[in-house]
Amino acid sequence: MTTGESRGAAGQRAGTRRAEAADGPLAGRVALVAGATRGAGRAIAVQLGALGATVYATGRTTREQVSEMGRPGETIEETAELIDAAGGRGIAVPADHLVPDRVREVVARIERDHGRLDILVNDVWGGNSLLDFDTRMWDVDLDRGLRMIDLGVRSHIITSSIALPLLVRRPGGLVVEVTDGTAETNRGFRENFYYDLAKNAPLRMAYLLGEELADVKCTAVAVTPGFIRSEEMLDHFGLTEETWRDGIPRQEHWALSESPLYLARGVAALAADPERDRWNGKSLDSGRLAREYRLTDADGSRPDVWGYILAQRAGESPEVNDYR
């Protein structure tokens, strides 16, 4: 195949995806994915676009500026391009969601451009580098701990407070709080005082917002991936998406890990579900979403690491193959 033929084929495929997305269940919908630079946030933004949505992808890392995470290879501009390639319309907007005025600018732009917001995904985090597992609360550096609360809780509150007045103008709006763990799995100790608070707070936010949004016929849910093979996690273990299985002998539960696409497919299916209000206020993991909407990960599997962990906690001896 010549270069010209390759580009032509790629262009034809992109055109097909755009045509499919134009008729997709989220065509005409507008989404804001806060924290769409990488990982689950990026994948969710792309999958919403694949179903026809216009997606505003926000984050702190751009091609001109890198956030404190220090990962210049993952930018919101790239996320927007991936959304476009999937058939949607991606719009990259730099924003630190801890700065209310910056979030107001993002929402004002959405209102100016579209006059509506249908889907809000709160996926801001970026606090993994601050974690001190197996360290008692009073031994954790206070600034590090409070930074985790800022990143995982305060940023979500700021974004919802500013974006919800636009979202509730129309019935059917959806708020998705992305966290780590469900209400059931997070009843136990999450090994770090501040991390526990940062990951439990979005569960409560979804419940509280669900109570308030029900009156205006909107929905709020919390979602969580399982053991996610994000770019950061793969780098941490010295693996790639192609070689991830090499880590199975070295990492507990790694055999049940999942790509970011897995949760993203579930969130997109949830957003497109006309009866999604049945999940209002609840927390859902990627495995539950996959079962409900008959989805799989990219490799055709259906991992359920949280189900496996709960079985272990119950004193059972689960088999990995029964949870993938």
Side-chain angles (χ1 to χ4, degrees), residues 24-293:
L26 297 181
R29 307 285 181 85
V30 179
L32 167 58
V33 181
T37 313
R38 60 184 65 82
R42 166 177 282 188
I44 290 169
V46 173
Q47 288 304 300
L48 293 174
L51 295 188
T54 293
V55 183
Y56 285 77
T58 65
R60 296 175 297 165
T61 296
T62 69
R63 286 173 176 152
E64 289 74 40
Q65 183 174 344
V66 181
S67 76
E68 66 196 65
M69 291 192 67
R71 298 184 63 84
E74 299 137 12
T75 68
I76 55 171
E77 293 94 341
E78 185 179 46
T79 299
E81 291 166 0
L82 291 170
I83 295 167
D84 289 344
R89 182 185 177 206
I91 302 169
V93 185
D96 183 340
H97 284 260
L98 284 169
V99 182
D101 283 346
R102 191 67 194 98
V103 179
R104 290 188 184 99
E105 291 173 5
V106 174
V107 174
R109 176 174 175 179
I110 296 172
E111 181 177 19
R112 183 173 63 250
D113 292 348
H114 303 279
R116 65 187 295 168
L117 177 63
D118 302 285
I119 303 164
L120 170 62
V121 179
N122 275 320
D123 185 55
V124 177
W125 172 229
N128 288 341
S129 64
L130 301 170
L131 279 168
D132 296 310
F133 282 128
D134 301 319
T135 304
R136 294 172 299 188
M137 181 268 193
W138 54 92
D139 291 327
V140 174
D141 178 80
L142 180 59
D143 288 339
R144 289 167 66 90
L146 292 178
R147 183 62 176 171
M148 276 194 275
I149 300 300
D150 281 346
L151 290 168
V153 182
R154 189 162 169 261
S155 65
H156 290 219
I157 293 171
I158 289 169
T159 305
S160 292
S161 175
I162 294 169
L164 284 178
L166 180 56
L167 183 137
V168 300
R169 287 184 187 177
R170 297 169 181 264
L174 174 66
V175 178
V176 179
E177 284 286 337
V178 183
T179 188
D180 179 21
T182 64
E184 183 179 14
T185 62
N186 279 8
R187 287 175 185 160
F189 179 50
R190 291 307 307 269
E191 302 176 88
N192 178 288
F193 175 89
Y194 296 98
Y195 185 78
D196 192 306
L197 290 177
K199 295 308 177 181
N200 271 295
L203 298 171
R204 192 65 182 170
M205 287 183 202
Y207 171 75
L208 295 171
L209 288 175
E211 290 292 307
E212 298 184 345
L213 289 170
D215 289 342
V216 290
K217 295 182 172 53
C218 294
T219 300
V221 300
V223 302
T224 177
F227 201 160
I228 188 170
R229 296 193 302 271
S230 64
E231 302 92 339
E232 182 185 12
M233 189 63 69
L234 287 169
D235 285 349
H236 176 74
F237 291 137
L239 300 168
T240 67
E241 186 56 29
E242 290 70 35
T243 66
W244 73 266
R245 291 176 180 81
D246 295 344
I248 292 175
R250 297 181 281 125
Q251 312 297 335
E252 185 181 12
H253 302 138
W254 192 243
L256 293 171
S257 65
E258 63 195 56
S259 77
L261 177 66
Y262 192 47
L263 177 64
R265 283 176 168 172
V267 171
L270 176 75
D273 183 354
E275 298 180 349
R276 59 186 171 275
D277 60 347
R278 72 187 189 276
W279 303 117
N280 191 37
K282 300 185 183 303
S283 60
L284 303 164
D285 63 69
S286 51
R288 175 76 180 276
L289 287 167
R291 292 191 298 274
E292 292 288 340
Y293 293 108

